[in-house]
Amino acid sequence: MKDFPEPMERLIQEFKRLPGIGQKSAQRIAFHVHRVSREDALRLADSIREVKDKIKFCGICNNITDVDPCRYCTTPGRDPALICVVEEPHNVLAVEKTRQFRGLYHVLHGSLSPLRGVGPEQLQIKSLIARLKGGNIKEIIVATDPNVEGEATALYLAKLIKPLGIKVTRIARGVPVGSELEFADEITMQIAMEGRQEL
Amino acid sequence: MKDFPEPMERLIQEFKRLPGIGQKSAQRIAFHVHRVSREDALRLADSIREVKDKIKFCGICNNITDVDPCRYCTTPGRDPALICVVEEPHNVLAVEKTRQFRGLYHVLHGSLSPLRGVGPEQLQIKSLIARLKGGNIKEIIVATDPNVEGEATALYLAKLIKPLGIKVTRIARGVPVGSELEFADEITMQIAMEGRQEL
């Protein structure tokens, strides 16, 4: 005998597949879904279906979008000579939140990771190079994650892009603003020391 | 301009309504839904719909079920003279896991809480009393939560049921097995002292 009625068990199993949701949370959410109005529950179900139906990738920058090209690529006033390269679509938001960057984006959809079998062919690198060759691009800001894979990807891109005569920069790594030195790990601290700037 | 394309925003908002899921988790899950196969995503959507369509409450014990009466009420060999009263459907599982209890259940769907406007009429108390008057019931085990509302509900039920000549018992409260006394709060400790049993 299963713990709960079949449809409930199935819903719990489906929620458990989602990232960051374990058995207890899945149960709690499934019971919540059962408790709320039919309308509320079906709105969730329909939103899932809608994302699968309507969200695609931008033909220029590979960001997720419901219109192609995406709204970043088509916003007037953004500088097409400046491209910020990120790993994932949600990383675009992190850069946008600074409200400082007014260039365009390119989403790689991952980072180089030989251990997980991710090589340059699995990433949107070919489309980036095609973009660079096609336009008057002055600078590529590589904003991949500050971890081993992200650094490797940044170095790989720099090697590939510099010969095209385009400036390649990397976002600064160091101690995060608002934190305390006491909690900085030694590698971050070392990079912060190396990257020191004159006041 | 919204952070993400409309359908993505809607899905994030829907996930945010679920218990224990904040903005970051909702984003992470929505992106996951977008990344997985269409088949996997729609299976989640369909499971939600199925729960709303097929899960109802048992006409006898008010537990959630896809057949009425539920499988607990209809399993042969369970003792119909013994009823364990719990607050929520998932509490049934906690009792079942002991593999000791072979009676039936009654789900109240909440606990008395005047502050939140939950009185006896909002709970499945009337149906419990009807059940008691209808059958040869010997004992009611009140397994409501060991908090203020759960205790109040237990006392209320005892007052209501004892006059019917039925034994009403409450699950033991005390220090949890496997824990350390050092971490027991003072009220639990006090109750554990008061409820001491001779060895």
Side-chain angles (χ1 to χ4, degrees):
Chain A
M1 186 143 116
K2 289 276 178 63
D3 286 344
F4 299 112
E6 271 298 336
M8 205 66 175
E9 280 289 341
R10 267 196 293 274
L11 184 57
I12 293 170
Q13 290 313 314
E14 289 303 326
F15 277 125
K16 257 177 75 179
R17 289 169 190 272
L18 302 178
I21 297 187
Q23 175 70 25
K24 286 264 171 185
S25 305
Q27 270 182 34
R28 198 166 151 223
I29 295 171
F31 274 99
H32 173 87
V33 165
H34 174 249
R35 206 163 37 230
V36 298
S37 72
R38 187 181 165 80
E39 193 192 350
D40 279 355
L42 296 193
R43 209 170 44 234
L44 169 58
D46 292 342
S47 302
I48 292 169
R49 193 172 286 271
E50 200 191 5
V51 158
K52 298 312 281 187
D53 286 344
K54 296 195 184 156
I55 296 287
K56 42 188 173 272
F57 296 115
C58 172
I60 299 174
C61 73
N62 305 301
N63 194 3
I64 56 162
T65 180
D66 50 351
V67 285
D68 190 9
C70 78
R71 58 221 168 105
Y72 291 111
C73 288
T74 53
T75 303
R78 296 195 79 114
D79 183 358
L82 186 59
I83 295 181
C84 178
V85 175
V86 295
E87 292 184 17
E88 300 292 345
H90 59 265
N91 297 145
V92 167
L93 188 60
V95 180
E96 278 298 295
K97 278 192 171 152
T98 64
R99 295 170 182 273
Q100 300 296 321
F101 180 73
R102 299 300 295 164
L104 302 180
Y105 290 97
H106 194 87
V107 181
L108 297 176
H109 288 284
S111 53
L112 292 177
S113 174
L115 282 177
R116 281 184 295 134
V118 183
E121 301 74 32
Q122 275 77 52
L123 304 180
Q124 289 292 344
I125 290 180
K126 206 179 275 182
S127 61
L128 173 62
I129 301 300
R131 242 179 122 178
L132 302 188
K133 286 181 175 161
N136 275 327
I137 286 154
K138 294 211 184 74
E139 182 180 348
I140 299 295
I141 303 176
V142 184
T144 50
D145 284 342
N147 55 23
V148 177
E149 291 86 359
E151 297 299 344
T153 310
L155 291 177
Y156 180 86
L157 289 179
K159 225 175 175 179
L160 215 62
I161 298 170
K162 273 187 190 167
L164 305 176
I166 298 168
K167 188 169 154 190
V168 183
T169 57
R170 178 85 174 105
I171 52 167
R173 282 130 315 150
V175 287
V177 179
S179 67
E180 294 173 36
L181 277 198
E182 194 180 343
F183 303 118
D185 64 286
E186 56 196 56
I187 298 176
T188 298
M189 199 57 214
Q190 187 188 327
I191 282 177
M193 294 291 280
E194 286 171 7
R196 67 191 180 278
Q197 295 181 322
E198 209 173 309
L199 294 175
Chain B
M1 185 143 116
K2 289 278 179 57
D3 287 342
F4 300 110
E6 272 297 337
M8 206 66 176
E9 279 290 340
R10 269 195 292 274
L11 184 57
I12 292 170
Q13 291 313 313
E14 290 302 327
F15 276 126
K16 257 178 75 179
R17 289 170 190 270
L18 302 179
I21 296 187
Q23 176 69 26
K24 286 265 171 185
S25 306
Q27 270 182 33
R28 199 168 152 221
I29 294 172
F31 275 97
H32 172 88
V33 165
H34 174 250
R35 207 164 34 231
V36 299
S37 72
R38 189 181 164 81
E39 193 192 349
D40 279 356
L42 296 192
R43 209 169 46 232
L44 169 58
D46 292 342
S47 301
I48 293 169
R49 194 172 285 271
E50 200 192 4
V51 157
K52 298 312 281 187
D53 287 344
K54 296 195 184 157
I55 297 287
K56 42 188 175 270
F57 297 115
C58 173
I60 299 174
C61 72
N62 304 302
N63 193 3
I64 56 161
T65 179
D66 50 349
V67 285
D68 189 10
C70 77
R71 57 222 168 106
Y72 292 111
C73 288
T74 52
T75 303
R78 296 193 81 113
D79 184 0
L82 186 59
I83 294 181
C84 177
V85 175
V86 295
E87 291 183 17
E88 301 292 345
H90 59 264
N91 297 145
V92 167
L93 189 61
V95 180
E96 277 299 293
K97 278 192 172 152
T98 65
R99 295 170 183 272
Q100 300 295 320
F101 180 72
R102 300 301 295 166
L104 301 180
Y105 291 96
H106 194 86
V107 181
L108 296 176
H109 288 283
S111 53
L112 291 176
S113 174
L115 282 177
R116 283 183 293 132
V118 183
E121 302 74 31
Q122 275 76 51
L123 303 180
Q124 289 292 344
I125 291 180
K126 205 179 273 182
S127 61
L128 173 62
I129 302 301
R131 240 178 122 180
L132 302 187
K133 285 180 175 162
N136 275 326
I137 287 154
K138 293 208 183 79
E139 182 179 348
I140 299 294
I141 303 175
V142 184
T144 51
D145 284 342
N147 55 22
V148 177
E149 291 86 1
E151 297 298 344
T153 311
L155 291 176
Y156 180 85
L157 288 179
K159 225 174 175 179
L160 214 62
I161 298 169
K162 273 187 189 167
L164 305 176
I166 297 167
K167 189 170 155 188
V168 182
T169 57
R170 177 86 174 105
I171 51 166
R173 282 131 315 149
V175 286
V177 179
S179 66
E180 293 173 36
L181 276 199
E182 196 180 343
F183 303 118
D185 64 285
E186 55 197 56
I187 299 177
T188 299
M189 199 59 214
Q190 187 188 328
I191 283 177
M193 293 293 279
E194 286 170 8
R196 66 191 179 278
Q197 295 181 320
E198 209 173 308
L199 293 175

